[in-house]
């Protein structure tokens, strides 16, 4: 056992340092995203979803860092990864819209000015929509029309269409102040 520890002492130390740095990065990213979510008054479920995406990105960075520390043969690893991605790419080609909707969901989280309760009007000549946002999911928005219909609208289409936003009106509590 001591032979193994002494033989791989440098790699073990670098691995421990990498794991500590990645945990620190994960913690900081989580804090930053949650702070942006609180300052922008976003739904906590929506914020948690973006934190989960950031954690996945940190995990992938960690795998790459550990691979470098342990001197993984990248030619063999590259062959394995390219083969796996080729099979996944062929199998999931029709699922490309899922990835674009997830990406659009992340972009909407950080940049778009609407939130749950806002009334929006989507400027689409084929399918104009005027509705209130009930929920914002990873793949789509849940919209309630004035007629009471529930519509799911893909996130990636929101980036492609013009959206007119009417902010939510605060309810009157009878005190005479807003």
């Amino acid at each position: 056992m001591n032979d193994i520890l002494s033989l791989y002492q440098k790699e073990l130390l670098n691995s421990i340092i990498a794991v500590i740095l990645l945990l620190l990065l994960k913690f900081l990213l989580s804090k930053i995203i949650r702070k942006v979510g609180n300052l922008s008054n976003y739904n906590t479920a929506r914020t948690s979803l973006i934190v989960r995406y950031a954690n996945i990105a940190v995990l992938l960075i960690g795998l790459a860092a550990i691979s470098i520390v342990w001197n993984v043969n990248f030619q063999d690893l590259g062959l394995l990864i390219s083969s796996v991605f080729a099979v996944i790419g062929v199998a999931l080609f029709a699922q490309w819209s899922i990835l674009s909707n997830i990406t659009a969901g992340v972009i909407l989280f950080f940049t778009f000015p609407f939130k749950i309760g806002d009334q929006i009007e989507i400027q689409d000549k084929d399918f104009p929509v005027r509705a209130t946002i009930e929920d914002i999911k990873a793949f789509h928005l849940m919209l309630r029309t004035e007629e009471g219909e529930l519509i799911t609208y893909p996130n990636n289409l929101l980036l492609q269409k013009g959206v007119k936003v009417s902010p939510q009106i605060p309810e009157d509590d009878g005190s005479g102040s807003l």
Side-chain angles (χ1 to χ4, degrees), residues 92-168:
L92 299 177
F93 180 72
Q95 300 303 323
W96 180 253
S97 65
I98 290 175
L99 294 175
S100 67
N101 280 317
I102 290 172
T103 304
V106 172
I107 292 169
L108 289 174
F109 177 79
F110 286 108
T111 61
F112 268 60
F114 51 77
K115 52 186 167 241
I116 295 173
D118 286 351
Q119 181 147 20
I120 63 170
E121 188 174 334
I122 300 171
Q123 310 293 317
D124 186 359
K125 68 176 186 168
D126 297 327
F127 186 66
V129 176
R130 182 175 173 83
T132 303
I133 300 174
E134 282 200 355
D135 200 1
I136 302 173
K137 305 279 187 184
F139 301 107
H140 58 274
L141 263 76
M142 302 294 291
L143 303 171
R144 178 79 57 187
T145 65
E146 293 169 348
E147 294 81 28
E149 296 174 309
L150 186 64
I151 297 174
T152 60
Y153 201 82
N155 286 338
N156 63 350
L157 289 181
L158 284 173
L159 296 178
Q160 299 172 17
K161 307 291 180 187
V163 178
K164 182 179 174 184
V165 180
S166 302
Q168 51 188 337

Side-chain angles (χ1 to χ4, degrees), residues 10-11 14-22 25 57-72 74 77:
K10 181 181 172 189
E11 288 85 358
N14 287 339
S15 295
I16 291 170
I17 291 170
V19 167
I20 290 170
L21 289 175
L22 289 166
L25 178 65
V58 169
L59 176 68
L60 294 175
I61 291 169
L63 290 174
I66 297 296
S67 297
I68 291 169
V69 166
W70 286 91
N71 295 324
V72 173
F74 285 106
L77 186 63

Side-chain angles (χ1 to χ4, degrees), residues 29-105:
L29 279 176
S30 176
K31 282 288 198 190
I32 290 169
I33 292 169
R34 289 191 193 285
K35 187 168 208 148
V36 168
N38 287 337
L39 290 175
S40 301
N41 201 21
Y42 290 136
N43 186 324
T44 56
R46 188 174 171 197
T47 304
S48 296
L49 183 67
I50 301 301
V51 168
R52 199 171 317 139
Y53 291 158
N55 288 341
I56 291 170
V58 169
L59 176 68
L60 294 175
I61 291 169
L63 290 174
I66 297 296
S67 297
I68 291 169
V69 166
W70 286 91
N71 295 324
V72 173
N73 185 350
F74 285 106
Q75 290 178 337
D76 295 341
L77 186 63
L79 180 64
L80 174 69
I81 290 174
S82 65
S83 299
V84 168
F85 277 128
V87 170
I88 290 173
V90 169
L92 299 177
F93 180 72
Q95 300 303 323
W96 180 253
S97 65
I98 290 175
L99 294 175
S100 67
N101 280 317
I102 290 172
T103 304

